[in-house]
Amino acid sequence: MPLHMPVHGYSPYTNMPKVIAHRGASGHAPENTAAALQTASKMRATWVEVDITVTSDGVAVVFHDSDVNRCTNGRGLVIKQTLAELKTLDAGSWYSPFHSDEKILTMMELLTLANQLDLNINMEIKPTIGRETETVWAMKQALRSVPFDNTLLLSSFNYRALMAAKEFLPEYPRALNVEAIPRDWAARMDDVGATGLHFALDFFDRKAVEEIIETGTPLACFTVNDLETAQRLWAAGVTAVFTDYPDRLLLDARRVEHH
Ligand code: G3P
Ligand code: MG
């Protein structure tokens, strides 16, 4: 087994910092672009979350929405466009004219950049419904082409995507994403072999969170953009928060870690 691959049973939560840059530092640069990753790194984030989906010609790309309307100057569904078509789009001007050179990143480009910046990655699998296996298969091709040096955690809201990850990328740990924490969270995690549970801030409930943490299950919460809320979550035992503004939380995160 190559050295960069986590050994079976390895928990990415053991050394996870308290702050993960959400879609890169997406409060300061266009989400999921090279600029967002570079900004996260400059702000001293060591983990980033990005969204991964697939093109019509089977290439894994870094993109949140199913269509390109919000985050590029193009129109239409990602799954219906080739990589060559998607690469003609401007993925930065919607955010600011200073970012007009940003392009949609392939997962291979993401891995290369994250290796250069020494970033750990949580890749959230965002498949078009019905194309879950193709999405994970494309991710496997990217990882074959560009071996990743750091920790890679896969996650998804999508059951089929997680099952495909379990089958095709079993060497990488998985997390289950939910909005509200379901009552049968343990069974759902077992089903997909998830080692962590990621939930939405709107559904934070201290008692439920404490009960889950008592079982030794690591939790992460999205999306937390103010320090006071982050502190409440950390105090309740949440391992990490996803934030669009790592600079707002990071100094304090380091201080808390040293206690
Ligand atoms: O992976 C955590 C979070 O990113 C999930 O929601 O919509 O921001 O991708 P979303
Ligand atoms: Mg996401």
Side-chain angles (χ1 to χ4, degrees):
M1 181 181 279
L3 277 178
H4 66 271
M5 284 192 181
V7 290
H8 188 69
Y10 163 84
S11 172
Y13 297 92
T14 311
N15 295 313
M16 188 178 274
K18 288 184 158 60
V19 174
I20 300 175
H22 183 240
R23 311 181 194 174
S26 59
H28 296 282
E31 63 182 56
N32 284 323
T33 63
L37 295 169
Q38 280 150 352
T39 307
S41 175
K42 274 192 199 127
M43 292 177 168
R44 309 219 174 201
T46 55
W47 273 75
V48 292
E49 186 262 6
V50 293
D51 305 289
I52 304 286
T53 195
V54 74
T55 66
S56 67
D57 48 345
V59 181
V61 289
V62 187
F63 209 73
H64 179 275
D65 298 354
S66 56
D67 65 61
V68 297
N69 303 3
R70 179 177 65 94
C71 290
T72 76
N73 60 345
R75 310 288 299 168
L77 295 171
V78 177
I79 192 77
K80 292 179 106 176
Q81 302 185 50
T82 62
L83 178 64
E85 286 167 339
L86 292 166
K87 276 291 187 187
T88 65
L89 303 178
D90 165 355
S93 290
W94 68 274
Y95 181 86
S96 124
F98 299 109
H99 289 293
S100 60
D101 289 339
E102 296 303 321
K103 300 285 177 202
I104 295 177
L105 284 178
T106 63
M107 182 172 144
M108 281 170 58
E109 291 166 337
L110 161 73
L111 290 168
T112 304
L113 184 58
N115 279 336
Q116 285 164 4
L117 298 173
D118 196 18
L119 289 169
N120 303 285
I121 311 177
N122 171 203
M123 286 188 193
E124 187 198 337
I125 313 167
K126 285 259 195 240
T128 296
I129 304 303
R131 296 290 168 85
E132 295 87 357
T133 307
E134 287 91 328
T135 308
V136 173
W137 191 252
M139 293 172 74
K140 188 177 176 79
Q141 303 314 311
L143 282 159
R144 266 195 194 143
S145 304
V146 183
F148 187 50
D149 299 334
N150 286 349
T151 302
L152 172 57
L153 169 64
L154 304 176
S155 64
S156 192
F157 291 98
N158 184 293
Y159 173 81
R160 285 179 187 275
L162 289 170
M163 291 307 272
K166 189 177 177 180
E167 187 175 348
F168 298 122
L169 293 169
E171 64 273 41
Y172 295 101
R174 291 175 294 286
L176 175 65
N177 278 8
V178 290
E179 293 283 336
I181 297 174
R183 294 191 210 290
D184 61 347
W185 59 270
R188 291 203 206 187
M189 286 180 69
D190 276 357
D191 249 12
V192 296
T195 50
L197 184 63
H198 301 175
F199 69 97
L201 174 61
D202 286 349
F203 297 95
F204 171 59
D205 168 338
R206 177 183 285 271
K207 200 160 160 278
V209 157
E210 280 173 358
E211 274 169 24
I212 293 171
I213 287 162
E214 264 171 38
T215 69
T217 304
L219 291 172
C221 182
F222 56 89
T223 303
V224 181
N225 287 335
D226 73 278
L227 183 57
E228 203 180 303
T229 307
Q231 282 169 329
R232 247 185 328 123
L233 288 153
W234 295 328
V238 170
T239 302
V241 298
F242 298 92
T243 184
D244 302 328
Y245 299 91
D247 52 324
R248 292 184 189 171
L249 309 189
L250 264 168
L251 279 178
D252 191 81
R254 285 206 209 96
R255 191 168 55 74
V256 172
E257 265 164 7
H258 290 145
H259 286 321

